[in-house]
Amino acid sequence: MKKNDPSSMPHSGDEDKSSKKIQYTCSMHPEVISDQPGECPKCGMTLVKKEDKKNEMSGHNMEGMGTRGVTRPMMDMQKHESMQGHKHMDMGAMKMSAGDRLKMLKDHHKQTLWVFWTIVLLGFWMIASPLTFDYGKNVVEPSGGRDVWLSLSDRIAAMRWSDIISGILLVFFGWRSLKPNRPYSVWVICFIGVWISMAPFIFWAPTAIAYYNGTVVGVLIIALSILIPGMPNMIMFMKMGGNVPTGWSYNPSSWPQRSIMIGLAFIGWLASRYLGAFQLGYIDTVWDPFFGEGTLNVLNSDMSHSFPISDAALGTLAYTLEFLMGFMGGTSRWRTMPWMVTFFGILVIPLGFVSIFLVVSQPLSVGAWCAFCLFSAIIMLPMIPLQIDEVIAMWQHMVQRKQKGDSLWKVFWKGGDAVSTENDQRSPEMATFVDNPWKVLKSSIWGMTAPWQLTISVIIGFWLMISPTVFQMGIETSVANLNHLGGALVIVFAVVAMAEVLRSFRYFNVLLGLALVVIPWLIADSNMAHTISSSLAGILIVALSFSKGKIKEKYGLWDKYVV
């Protein structure tokens, strides 16, 4: 070979090409650069190759697109496509210095600066609201002659000053939040939004406009403070990692999984807001398609009047928070935000059980049924099995971090290092819902199955609830109370047991079934046909409650508890 033979010499272009590193970046945050694939620490989107990004943008005018502060839920919906081929990620390559994180925080703050200007403007809106709408004109009294803890003049003054003070605080803390790295100011704004949502029913807002203004502006403030820009300063401590829990077959924090919770919460919010508007006095009556005056009797009952505030309006606030919390965080929030998953779980699960119990106890305590109350309970019930898997995934992450010596307190608030490096490639994109809604809907209920045994138990529970009417038993008789309460509890336990992680809940129906077999024979005001019907129903419920049914998914450390 000749020394100067060009064919034997390395080509500079080939050398540059082989030595050039492949780099990954975020489509929405181009300042994020990594040598390995992974997730953007700002928004959670999957990083793409820089060359791919250039090709993706060629031919399109993208000017300003990356600086408009798009919501993270919208961006997360786009991540599945860019994730193909990157099932696992190298955690070591995603380590960042505090300086890098601070720079990213400031860059992200610039993109969402409009949010805090909007909060300042909403502050001025709240200051002007009492003057614009005049809360002392066209005032109303709560329904049913209810005594409230404030006089009319005090209700008017309380709402005026609440809105004015809230507005001043929004202007002050919104102005402070125009500078980055002020998380406490942002959290104060969020809690002001919660207060603005609460004040109308705490002070029994004397006009409908005061109620609607507070509920709408309150939701906007919460969304603007922590949903659109993301959790305050989370960039400073969020750990990179996979979004599928170790040993799980799906991601319980995926957007399809959360979308059904968001939809159910919104429907429940509409129903509760309608009932709350009646109790607060803004509408004169409520429609009941099944029970005639039953809804009016329940909403104006002594049980309802025993609360110092409107229980229906309180339910509206609960559904509001559930709806908003469904949007919070990325698709790995089960490990990055344990505190949020815990509070969301508390809203949905224990408070959901309390709400359902209050509804099913209406015929016992009031002697009437409320159609919209039952509808709200029907909405709330499936939310319990749909949410519990995310709570258990969060619990597993905390257990695993504890085993590695981490502080549970720190992990609870900041998430801790990731254990899993597996990314979700199974969940469909939300963008495909219009073209393939059934696929998205099926993925939204992964982890919840309805074996025929539990399905029939629900049907029997429904029969128990209506059987007093079928057998012409009075609604306030002892046997009717037994069937109303027993049937409702059978349904509750059967539906909750449809969550594969809580399949053992079906054993509670064994006890209920035994009670339904025996107790009807001890009640004097039951006729023979009704007694036999209840006992046979109890026997069937017991027989149906032993089989576990098919379990389709995997749950890591929790698999041993699925019995």
Side-chain angles (χ1 to χ4, degrees), residues 353 381 384-385 447-451 454 490-509 548 551 563:
F353 276 123
L381 182 55
I384 295 173
M448 182 178 177
T449 53
L454 294 178
V490 166
I491 293 173
V492 168
F493 289 130
V495 172
V496 171
M498 290 179 183
E500 294 183 348
V501 292
L502 291 182
R503 190 55 55 86
S504 58
F505 260 59
R506 71 190 187 279
Y507 290 122
F508 285 107
N509 275 345
K548 180 171 65 174
I551 302 298
V563 295

Side-chain angles (χ1 to χ4, degrees), residues 203-271:
F203 295 138
W204 292 88
T207 62
I209 190 62
Y211 175 68
Y212 295 134
N213 185 60
T215 53
V216 171
V217 174
V219 168
L220 287 175
I221 294 297
I222 298 170
L224 287 168
S225 59
I226 62 174
L227 293 189
I228 294 176
M231 292 294 153
N233 276 37
M234 192 171 178
I235 292 172
M236 298 302 294
F237 56 82
M238 185 178 73
K239 307 294 185 182
M240 299 297 96
N243 55 19
V244 178
T246 304
W248 284 54
S249 55
Y250 69 102
N251 176 15
S253 295
S254 69
W255 281 108
Q257 286 272 301
R258 289 153 62 176
S259 65
I260 192 169
M261 298 289 292
I262 294 169
L264 289 172
F266 183 72
I267 295 171
W269 177 82
L270 292 175

